[in-house]
């Protein structure tokens, strides 16, 4: 069995969906299980529609729903032609869109959006796209069958960022997916979407379809997990930021996980963990260039000083200075307990004898956190910062690499610096508007002799 996941642009047009059908056809002998994202841009539309509805802008919200209806119906017609098949598909999609319009109306009356209703709305994108893909595959002569993600991706009730329950997922996958694959069918499941034990819709967080794919891969003991996207694989930097970014032919699990956590959007940060647990290789390929090499993510990729550079903005830095000018026993514990109590995860940490600095992605609990930290010492907050990550399994062993990294960013104000305990990730905190120049300069420093774009890092 293999799990094959197609992202938003891979299903964003009828032509792209047809390309995915051919990719799946080429894998029939390996028992493909297909995971699909919403059509490109649809999740953003759904989330802003929910905001508009809750803010009382019902007309705008309903217009957004009708825009989604037109787009999905047009894609159905393009895939199946005008006729009974397209009509049947549209009548399957219609109730989902009608429910969206009703939800919008309810929200506009309530004037309030809860994470639970947000998930019910956001999940509709993948429910719609999976219907389109099943129908398109059928028309292309592939034996596809829709599987409802609510029955398989079982999670807790942390709406908008639900925690999966791997054992329950494994049991459900054995019941709902394996028999279909054994019977020569192709299960197609919407990514990103999950459900609590009571069947209430949850989602795995933005970009979560990758995570659905790796959870399913681990649950099924798949031989490979393939992430099909709009770039040629994992690159030495985001190609939207660095012109000469090169495809990395193979990269280690730990490096890929660090890159994903520090801004390489090509993979959801949680994608790697389930695959590592069961030792399943993850591949990243380009749907628009299926004959490309792609990237293989495994345990045994070459150990390079630097494999890639990533970055993200904005992040917030919180600094706490012990008032006694000395770390008293338990100081760090109390600082971290404060973040834990507020369910706010800390990304990068640097400490000195008297102070600790941490970076945060989420700041919705920041005011409460700061009030509590004030009891421990002098606190300060720096907003509009960004983090740049230089990632390589051999980074700490290479005496030259660190110096080269710091020389490359000469003149850029560094607010914080940290080398991960595993020695594979040098994180540098700079002003948010310096992240792009820093990434470009670091890329030039480490990949300057790079052959032109399109070439591959062995
Ligand atoms: P999908 O919709 O297929 O899930 P995403 O937009 O989530 O696609 O992820 C693909 C995007 O990730 C690329 O278009 C690229 O701009 C971005 N990206 C960021 N860093 C990297 C990197 N190191 N390698 C490849 N792509 C990257
Ligand atoms: N559609 C979801 C999102 O845009 C999940 C995904 O595409 O991975 O976040
Ligand atoms: Mg994605």
């Amino acid at each position: 069995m293999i799990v094959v996941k197609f992202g938003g642009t891979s299903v964003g047009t009828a032509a792209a969906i047809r390309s995915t059908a051919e990719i799946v056809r080429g894998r029939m002998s390996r028992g493909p299980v297909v995971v699909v994202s919403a059509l490109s841009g649809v999740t953003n539309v759904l989330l802003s529609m929910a905001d508009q509805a809750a803010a009382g802008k019902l007309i705008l919200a309903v217009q957004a729903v009708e825009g989604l209806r037109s787009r999905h119906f047009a894609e159905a017609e393009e895939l199946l032609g005008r006729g009974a098949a397209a009509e049947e598909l549209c009548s399957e999609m219609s109730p989902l869109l009608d429910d969206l319009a009703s939800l919008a109306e309810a929200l506009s009356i309530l004037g309030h959006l809860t994470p639970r209703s947000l998930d019910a709305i956001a999940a509709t994108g993948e429910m719609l796209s999976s219907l389109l893909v099943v129908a398109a595959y059928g028309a292309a002569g592939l034996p596809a069958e829709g599987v409802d993600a609510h029955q398989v991706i079982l999670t807790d009730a942390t709406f908008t960022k639900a925690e999966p329950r791997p054992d329950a997922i494994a049991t459900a996958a054995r019941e709902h997916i394996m028999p279909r694959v054994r019977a020569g069918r192709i299960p197609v499941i919407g990514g990103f979407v999950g459900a609590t034990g009571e069947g209430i819709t949850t989602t795995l967080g933005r970009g979560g379809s990758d995570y659905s794919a790796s959870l399913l891969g681990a649950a099924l003991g798949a031989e490979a997990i393939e992430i099909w996207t709009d770039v040629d694989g994992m690159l030495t930097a985001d190609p939207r930021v660095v012109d000469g970014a090169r495809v990395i032919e193979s990269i280690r699990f730990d490096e890929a996980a660090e890159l994903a956590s520090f801004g390489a959007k090509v993979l959801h940060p949680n994608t790697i963990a389930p695959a590592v647990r069961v030792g399943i290789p993850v591949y990243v390929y380009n749907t628009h260039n299926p004959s490309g090499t792609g990237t293989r993510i495994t345990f045994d990729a070459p150990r390079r000083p630097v494999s890639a550079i990533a970055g993200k903005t904005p992040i917030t830095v919180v600094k706490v200075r012990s008032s006694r000018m000395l770390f008293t026993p338990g100081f760090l514990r109390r600082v971290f307990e404060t973040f834990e109590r507020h369910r706010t995860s800390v990304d990068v940490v640097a400490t000195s004898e008297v102070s600790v600095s941490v970076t945060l992605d989420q700041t919705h609990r920041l005011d409460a956190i700061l009030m509590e930290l004030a009891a421990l010492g002098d606190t300060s907050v720096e907003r509009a910062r960004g983090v740049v990550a230089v990632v390589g399994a051999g980074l700490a062993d290479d005496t030259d690499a660190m110096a080269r990294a710091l020389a490359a960013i000469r003149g850029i104000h560094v607010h914080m610096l940290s080398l991960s305990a595993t020695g594979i990730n040098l994180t540098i905190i700079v002003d948010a508007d310096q992240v792009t120049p820093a990434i470009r300069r670091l890329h030039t420093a480490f990949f300057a002799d790079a052959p032109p774009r399109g070439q591959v890092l062995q």
Side-chain angles (χ1 to χ4, degrees):
M1 247 176 294
I2 59 169
V3 176
V4 188
K5 178 258 172 176
F6 295 106
T9 55
S10 305
V11 293
T13 63
I17 292 189
R18 286 202 193 92
S19 304
T20 72
E22 293 321 305
I23 290 163
V24 171
R25 199 191 306 280
R27 284 159 172 71
M28 275 311 286
S29 62
R30 298 168 69 194
V33 174
V34 175
V35 177
V36 293
S37 286
L39 312 196
S40 52
V42 166
T43 310
N44 287 344
V45 172
L46 289 167
L47 296 178
S48 64
M49 184 283 276
D51 277 339
Q52 284 165 341
K57 298 175 186 159
L58 183 58
I59 295 177
L60 283 180
V62 171
Q63 276 170 352
V65 175
E66 290 318 306
L68 290 177
R69 193 186 302 270
S70 311
R71 178 163 174 204
H72 286 83
F73 282 16
E75 198 156 322
E77 225 172 65
E78 240 185 276
L79 283 164
L80 306 179
R82 277 188 195 188
E87 266 170 36
E88 191 186 323
L89 172 56
C90 292
S91 68
E92 283 180 68
M93 292 192 285
S94 259
L96 295 170
L97 292 150
D98 297 343
D99 284 351
L100 270 184
S102 311
L103 273 168
E105 213 174 307
L107 286 176
S108 78
I109 295 168
L110 284 171
H112 174 65
L113 188 59
T114 62
R116 176 171 162 171
S117 36
L118 196 59
D119 271 356
I121 290 173
T124 310
E126 272 70 9
M127 287 155 74
L128 290 166
S129 66
S130 46
L131 289 174
L132 274 172
V133 168
V134 169
Y137 286 9
L142 292 171
E145 270 177 23
V147 174
D148 187 352
H150 294 86
Q151 292 189 310
V152 183
I153 304 296
L154 300 168
T155 70
D156 72 0
T158 315
F159 296 103
T160 75
K161 213 175 187 335
E163 202 55 56
R165 297 164 44 214
D167 293 341
I169 294 173
T171 307
R174 273 196 295 274
E175 184 183 343
H176 296 288
I177 295 185
M178 266 188 194
R180 288 182 157 105
V181 179
R182 293 220 173 94
R185 325 282 304 168
I186 307 168
V188 175
I189 184 166
F192 179 54
V193 180
T196 65
E198 293 76 45
I200 299 162
T201 303
T202 57
T203 68
L204 301 176
R206 293 308 306 270
S209 294
D210 300 330
Y211 194 17
S212 304
S214 71
L215 287 166
L216 276 179
L220 294 164
E223 67 178 82
I225 297 161
E226 296 184 349
I227 305 291
W228 288 80
T229 182
D230 60 355
V231 287
D232 280 335
M234 285 201 93
L235 276 70
T236 49
D238 184 344
R240 285 181 215 195
V241 174
V242 175
D243 244 347
R246 278 192 281 167
V247 178
I248 306 168
E249 191 170 305
S250 70
I251 187 167
R252 296 158 52 106
F253 278 126
D254 49 2
E255 292 177 316
E258 292 287 337
L259 289 166
S261 299
F262 286 92
K265 188 183 166 224
V266 62
L267 283 184
H268 182 279
N270 295 348
T271 314
I272 298 299
V276 168
R277 215 167 31 240
V278 198
I280 304 172
V282 178
Y283 295 83
V284 182
Y285 294 116
N286 189 347
T287 302
H288 314 294
N289 177 24
S291 57
T293 24
T295 296
R296 193 177 76 252
I297 308 171
T298 57
F299 286 118
D300 56 4
R303 196 180 158 86
R304 291 174 289 257
V306 176
S307 285
I309 320 281
K312 66 178 173 183
T313 56
I315 57 145
T316 299
V317 178
V318 175
K319 294 183 174 170
V320 189
R321 175 182 269 263
S322 162
S323 21
R324 299 188 199 163
M325 296 302 285
L326 199 78
F327 270 166
T328 45
F331 175 79
L332 281 180
R333 176 174 50 77
R334 285 199 292 273
V335 169
F336 288 109
E337 273 173 359
T338 308
F339 290 107
E340 195 191 340
R341 253 195 315 281
H342 292 281
R343 307 194 68 174
T344 296
S345 66
V346 161
D347 270 349
V348 183
V349 180
T351 64
S352 78
E353 182 65 21
V354 294
S355 67
V356 55
S357 309
V358 303
T359 73
L360 312 175
D361 251 356
Q362 318 139 352
T363 51
H364 53 283
R365 305 282 305 157
L366 189 57
D367 289 344
I369 290 171
L370 290 174
M371 285 217 330
E372 288 181 33
L373 289 179
L376 302 178
D378 302 330
T379 59
S380 64
V381 181
E382 300 169 14
R383 295 172 207 268
R385 301 274 191 250
V387 58
V388 178
V390 180
V391 174
L395 183 68
D397 309 336
D398 186 308
T399 47
D400 187 45
M402 209 75 72
R404 216 183 322 167
L406 293 178
I409 54 164
R410 176 175 291 131
I412 293 182
H413 192 160
V414 173
H415 296 281
M416 214 174 129
L417 196 68
S418 173
L419 179 67
S420 66
T422 47
I424 75 164
N425 187 0
L426 176 68
T427 43
I428 307 166
I429 312 302
V430 298
D431 291 320
D433 61 2
Q434 293 302 304
V435 167
T436 294
I439 291 176
R440 288 186 180 145
R441 286 211 231 156
L442 286 161
H443 194 271
T444 306
F446 289 103
F447 305 101
D449 47 357
R453 192 174 183 155
Q455 293 220 6
V456 167
L457 189 69
Q458 298 292 330

